[in-house]
């Protein structure tokens, strides 16, 4: 059964860093477009980063601070590194996968599978 499992969330102060991880089945990691979303209560989920066969995209709000990367050779894990965290980065972060090209403008419904998420809280 396809399943994505996120980890690495937590609390951090403004300016701090975190690295989120999304564990994927081996047949998904390297072959599907992987995305990270940020969900804040009362707002639509925002795509913050995607990675597909070497092409990465970022939302304007995170460019220069977030980095998406993959280890599909050994750990079958997609990472999201958050640097210089801001309070507006607070939210539930979840990963999603789709077997076609994707970008940060795609909504969660575009993806065929998503994880449960991991909470990130950035305090000022």
């Amino acid at each position: 059964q396809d399943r994505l499992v996120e980890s690495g969330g937590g609390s951090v102060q403004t300016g701090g860093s975190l690295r989120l991880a999304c564990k994927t089945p081996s047949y998904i990691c390297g072959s599907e477009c992987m995305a990270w979303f940020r969900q804040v209560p009362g707002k639509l989920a925002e795509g913050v980063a995607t990675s597909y066969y070497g092409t990465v995209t970022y939302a304007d709000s995170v460019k220069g601070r977030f980095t998406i990367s993959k280890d599909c050779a050994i750990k079958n894990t997609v990472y999201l590194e958050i640097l210089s965290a801001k309070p507006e980065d607070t939210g539930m972060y979840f990963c999603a996968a789709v077997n076609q090209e994707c970008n940060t403008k795609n909504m969660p419904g575009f993806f065929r599978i998503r994880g449960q998420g991991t909470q990130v809280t950035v305090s000022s």
Side-chain angles (χ1 to χ4, degrees), residues 34-123:
M34 299 299 302
W36 280 98
F37 284 87
R38 176 169 63 210
Q39 177 79 65
V40 176
K43 294 186 178 181
L44 293 175
E46 176 189 14
V48 295
T50 67
S51 177
Y52 185 55
Y53 285 114
T55 298
V56 298
T57 67
Y58 296 99
D60 289 343
S61 61
V62 306
K63 281 181 181 176
R65 301 188 300 113
F66 287 22
T67 302
I68 186 171
S69 62
K70 295 179 176 179
D71 177 355
C72 300
I74 299 175
K75 295 186 177 181
N76 293 313
T77 300
V78 182
Y79 300 99
L80 184 70
E81 184 172 27
I82 299 173
L83 300 178
S84 302
K86 300 178 179 180
E88 51 263 44
D89 294 330
T90 294
M92 180 69 74
Y93 285 73
F94 63 89
C95 58
V98 65
N99 52 4
Q100 60 180 294
E101 187 174 5
C102 69
N103 59 64
T104 57
K105 301 300 184 185
N106 296 127
M107 298 303 292
F110 177 78
F111 296 81
R112 70 175 189 89
I113 182 176
R114 57 164 286 182
Q116 293 297 308
T118 186
Q119 178 68 35
V120 171
T121 302
V122 183
S123 57

